[in-house]
Amino acid sequence: LGIPAEPLFRSSYEKYGEEEGKRKYKERLEKSARNSYKTACANNVSKQQLELYNYLVESDKNTKFILEEVFLNRIVDIYDKTNNVLIEFFGDFWHTNPSIYRKDYFHPYKEKTTEEIIKLDKDRLDRLIIETNANVIVVWEKSYNSIDKTELINTINNFRYNKDLKRTILWI
C-alpha cells in the first residue's frame, strides 16, 4: 500500500503507523478547520474546499461531515458519513478541468496530459465507489466559483438525500 503524497499525512504515517497516523492526521485537520482558513490551507485544504465544507455543515446539522477522510490510502476532501457520500473538490489546474484544458495539454508538474489525469482521477473515483459502496460528488473549482452557493448546496443535498442512487458520480 502506498503512502499519500500529502506531507502531513506522510509524516504522521511514518511516525505512528497507518491506523494511529490516520487518526492523528484527522485530528490535526479537524483542529485546523476549527481554527482558521490560514491554518487549514497550510494542511493542503484549499480555502474553497473549507468553505464548501462549512456550507454543508451549516446546511445540515444532522449529518456528520468529515473534512479530509482517508480511504484506500488516499484522502477524500469531504466525507458525508451519515449518507455515505464522498465529496471531492477538484482544482482546475491540478485536475486539469476539461472545460479549460485541451485533452493533449501537458501538465508541467504531474507530467501527464489532461486526458491521462482525467482517466487517473476517474479510475480512483471508481475504485473508491467499489470499495466504499458510496456515491461521489465532484465539484470543479470553475463551477464552484461561478454558481450561486445556495443553488450548489441544494444540488449537493438533493443528490446526498436520494436513496435511489447507488454508486453514482455527480459532476458539478
Side-chain angles (χ1 to χ4, degrees):
L1 298 174
I3 300 171
E6 290 79 1
L8 285 176
F9 180 81
R10 189 173 50 246
S11 67
S12 293
Y13 182 95
E14 290 167 352
K15 186 172 181 179
Y16 300 106
E18 185 171 358
E19 287 305 311
E20 183 68 7
K22 180 179 173 180
R23 189 183 68 69
K24 294 266 188 193
Y25 178 74
K26 283 177 57 180
E27 283 175 6
R28 223 182 291 174
L29 283 171
E30 286 170 4
K31 183 178 178 184
S32 294
R34 287 188 304 267
N35 289 340
S36 71
Y37 284 116
K38 184 177 180 182
T39 305
C41 289
N43 289 334
N44 294 327
V45 177
S46 73
K47 178 182 176 188
Q48 293 157 318
Q49 177 187 332
L50 189 57
E51 283 176 353
L52 178 58
Y53 170 80
N54 287 329
Y55 285 135
L56 288 167
V57 169
E58 286 299 312
S59 76
D60 185 352
K61 302 281 191 209
N62 297 318
T63 296
K64 178 157 177 61
F65 291 102
I66 301 169
L67 185 65
E68 299 283 284
E69 180 65 288
V70 179
F71 291 97
L72 305 175
N73 285 332
R74 298 293 302 181
I75 294 173
V76 173
D77 295 332
I78 301 167
Y79 177 49
D80 169 356
K81 187 171 184 172
T82 306
N83 297 296
N84 195 30
V85 176
L86 312 173
I87 303 169
E88 289 282 80
F89 189 92
F90 276 14
D92 294 332
F93 175 71
W94 289 106
H95 293 272
T96 57
N97 186 336
S99 73
I100 297 172
Y101 296 94
R102 295 183 329 267
K103 66 181 180 180
D104 64 343
Y105 169 77
F106 190 78
H107 195 287
Y109 297 103
K110 290 190 169 188
E111 297 184 345
K112 294 181 181 352
T113 64
T114 296
E115 189 171 41
E116 292 168 321
I117 293 167
I118 297 291
K119 182 179 181 339
L120 287 170
D121 283 339
K122 178 76 170 76
D123 289 348
R124 179 177 152 269
L125 295 174
D126 288 341
R127 281 193 312 278
L128 281 167
I129 287 171
I130 290 166
E131 292 294 322
T132 64
N133 204 35
N135 288 320
V136 175
I137 300 170
V138 177
V139 180
W140 283 102
E141 176 183 9
K142 180 179 178 182
S143 297
Y144 181 83
N145 290 335
S146 63
I147 195 169
D148 174 75
K149 298 310 178 262
T150 302
E151 180 184 336
L152 173 66
I153 296 306
N154 287 340
T155 300
I156 290 172
N157 286 341
N158 287 337
F159 182 85
R160 287 188 317 106
Y161 301 143
N162 188 336
K163 299 301 180 195
D164 294 331
L165 297 174
K166 302 287 185 236
R167 297 176 150 190
T168 303
I169 300 177
L170 171 66
W171 297 84
I172 300 175

